[in-house]
Amino acid sequence: MRHILITGGAGFIGSHVVRLFVNTYPEYEIINLDKLTYAGNLSNLKDLEGKPNYRFVKADICDFDAIREIFDSLKIDSVIHLAAESHVDRSITDPFSFARTNVMGTLNLLQSAKEAWKGNDDGKLFYHVSTDEVYGALGFNDQPFSEERRYDPHSPYSASKASSDHFVRAYHDTYGLPVVLSNCSNNYGPYQFPEKLIPLFINNIRHNKPLPVYGKGENIRDWLYVEDHARAIDLIFHQGRVGETYNIGGLNEWKNIDLIRVLIKTVDRLLERKEGTSEKLITYVTDRAGHDLRYAIDASKLSNELGWKPSLQFEEGIDHTVRWYLDHQAWLDSVTSGEYQSYYRKMYGV
Ligand code: NAD
Ligand code: TYD
């Protein structure tokens, strides 16, 4: 029996990873540890309540004593670490929260694993989930990021994630902690907090609200369907080489403004509005400070070594995602109002 601690499991990507592991591996105990910040929402995992191999623990990765105790009492032998502050715009206004959670929180988890495992690494693994943003920005004609790319973070978010990546590697090189890392491109799909581009814009199009496009909308992102990321994490967790880093990406680059036009077209079609109705909502606003021009991932190491490739075509993924948000207006309303927090706070007595 493995006892796997998944941090940040009540968030967007974490909830998909927790669901995949709980449903695929009944022989593992999956412990979802989350502080339930504004981004954490246990209703994302309603379908898992009562499953015998799933448990939720409310804790802050910055609380060393609590984390250390959890490692011992729950016999944690593996970690999949996703908990983080994750939104670039928030990191610009509140960089300290990002340093605290993403750097100090990761360091607490590493130190707890080191102390609990005491060099007995048999069957142990610390898997750190990171982002392509640590590599900085590409020009239009540059080659996509490979794992050898020099780190060059520009936002407080990416700087904090870069720092956490360095600590993970340092614990491997210095103390021999068995680690593996992955750096993934932008994810999209169900349960993403509607501060991020895709859910925010779908919701705004539906409600005829302005779509704030930063700068000229020419920045490029490489989009991956969230369940494909979760599958990659599963593969790397089970078959990745210890000490290695794997880049994960969608081979799917979109200029923001082109992607926004696809969202407009899809929402208008599904709501049976005349084609182009919502184009007028596009509103160019002041650019994000330090806005990285382009991200793109070279995922050939992952595909050559472990045989991974994205399963969904983007058109299919976007269609499914737009339908999901249109069908889950109550979920969007509850997260934008903050209502979900009081419900689960009451349920967990916090
Ligand atoms: P998210 O913001 O949706 O979820 C983060 C989760 O972490 C929330 O449930 C939150 O409650 C929890 N959390 C935050 N601070 C915590 C703390 N101090 N202690 C315990 N829990 C805490 O984020 P996401 O988009 O799901 O991203 C998950 C991870 O994947 C992050 O590490 C992020 O850097 C990485 N990542 C995200 C993307 C993306 O496109 N979203 C891409 C690549 C990598
Ligand atoms: P986002 O979803 O915040 O992800 P990230 O910054 O981590 O890539 O943003 C995706 C892209 O969309 C990014 O280039 C910024 C842009 N953007 C807007 O133009 N307007 C918005 O309101 C938001 C949230 C993002």
Side-chain angles (χ1 to χ4, degrees):
M1 176 109 178
R2 293 186 85 156
H3 304 274
I4 306 175
L5 184 72
I6 301 186
T7 70
F12 166 48
I13 301 170
S15 65
H16 290 274
V17 175
V18 167
R19 179 174 296 103
L20 181 68
F21 273 70
V22 168
N23 289 334
T24 315
Y25 304 106
E27 69 276 26
Y28 297 167
E29 184 185 33
I30 303 301
I31 298 124
N32 170 15
L33 182 152
D34 201 293
K35 182 184 173 184
L36 300 181
T37 67
Y38 79 94
N41 182 356
L42 282 175
S43 78
N44 296 357
L45 291 168
K46 252 197 161 88
D47 51 317
L48 300 187
E49 281 168 21
K51 292 243 179 188
N53 63 334
Y54 171 69
R55 84 158 77 182
F56 172 72
V57 176
K58 184 178 186 299
D60 183 344
I61 58 168
C62 299
D63 180 348
F64 180 77
D65 293 340
I67 297 299
R68 187 65 192 80
E69 206 276 320
I70 287 164
F71 265 80
D72 283 348
S73 61
L74 299 182
K75 302 188 179 66
I76 302 301
D77 51 46
S78 325
V79 177
I80 304 178
H81 174 36
L82 296 110
E85 290 292 340
S86 69
H87 190 40
V88 174
D89 293 330
R90 285 181 191 256
S91 81
I92 294 169
T93 49
D94 180 17
F96 284 86
S97 296
F98 283 69
R100 205 177 305 120
T101 295
N102 299 358
V103 185
M104 287 307 296
T106 301
L107 189 51
N108 278 337
L109 284 164
L110 288 164
Q111 181 65 17
S112 296
K114 172 179 170 277
E115 288 183 12
W117 299 343
K118 298 188 184 81
N120 171 13
D121 295 337
D122 199 21
K124 312 285 197 303
L125 186 66
F126 190 107
Y127 183 159
H128 179 61
V129 175
S130 193
T131 167
D132 60 355
E133 304 195 22
V134 298
Y135 297 120
L138 290 168
F140 288 122
N141 298 316
D142 292 341
Q143 290 300 313
F145 301 129
S146 76
E147 290 80 2
E148 276 69 51
R149 178 93 183 186
R150 187 172 70 87
Y151 273 33
D152 184 21
H154 297 141
S155 72
Y157 165 64
S158 53
S160 67
K161 290 296 290 187
S163 172
S164 67
D165 292 9
H166 290 318
F167 270 108
V168 173
R169 294 195 183 98
Y171 265 65
H172 175 256
D173 296 346
T174 309
Y175 308 113
L177 195 77
V179 307
V180 69
L181 297 89
S182 59
N183 295 74
C184 188
S185 62
N186 285 62
N187 285 214
Y188 70 99
Y191 298 116
Q192 186 168 31
F193 197 84
E195 62 187 352
K196 306 277 168 61
L197 180 78
I198 290 183
L200 175 72
F201 278 35
I202 294 171
N203 202 28
N204 284 9
I205 298 166
R206 173 179 215 156
H207 296 289
N208 290 309
K209 287 192 188 159
L211 305 174
V213 181
Y214 298 161
K216 295 183 178 150
E218 284 180 345
N219 305 68
I220 294 174
R221 297 292 181 263
D222 174 1
W223 293 94
L224 178 67
Y225 191 66
V226 62
E227 287 180 6
D228 278 333
H229 187 189
R231 275 196 314 107
I233 289 174
D234 181 0
L235 203 57
I236 294 166
F237 178 82
H238 287 99
Q239 294 178 37
R241 285 182 293 137
V242 169
E244 292 290 319
T245 296
Y246 295 88
N247 282 356
I248 310 171
L251 299 170
N252 179 42
E253 292 182 51
W254 284 81
K255 202 187 269 191
N256 287 345
I257 192 65
D258 295 337
L259 170 61
I260 289 160
R261 294 215 156 92
V262 171
L263 294 175
I264 289 173
K265 215 170 162 178
T266 312
V267 177
D268 280 350
R269 173 170 51 82
L270 292 172
L271 293 181
E272 296 178 3
R273 293 175 181 165
K274 196 163 150 276
E275 189 171 337
T277 308
S278 303
E279 289 270 339
K280 60 178 181 300
L281 301 174
I282 292 176
T283 310
Y284 291 95
V285 299
T286 309
D287 207 354
R288 172 187 276 171
H291 197 174
D292 287 333
L293 178 64
R294 173 176 167 236
Y295 304 138
I297 280 279
D298 171 355
S300 52
K301 178 175 173 181
L302 182 59
S303 90
N304 294 340
E305 273 190 27
L306 305 183
W308 177 88
K309 59 177 183 344
S311 70
L312 271 191
Q313 291 297 318
F314 187 60
E315 288 67 23
E316 211 183 329
I318 276 293
D319 192 79
H320 179 71
T321 301
V322 172
R323 283 177 197 273
W324 189 88
Y325 285 101
L326 294 181
D327 288 347
H328 290 78
Q329 188 61 49
W331 182 90
L332 278 166
D333 291 343
S334 85
V335 297
T336 45
S337 69
E339 178 196 314
Y340 65 103
Q341 289 177 312
S342 54
Y343 174 73
Y344 279 97
R345 290 227 162 95
K346 254 184 245 145
M347 185 163 156
Y348 286 94
V350 287

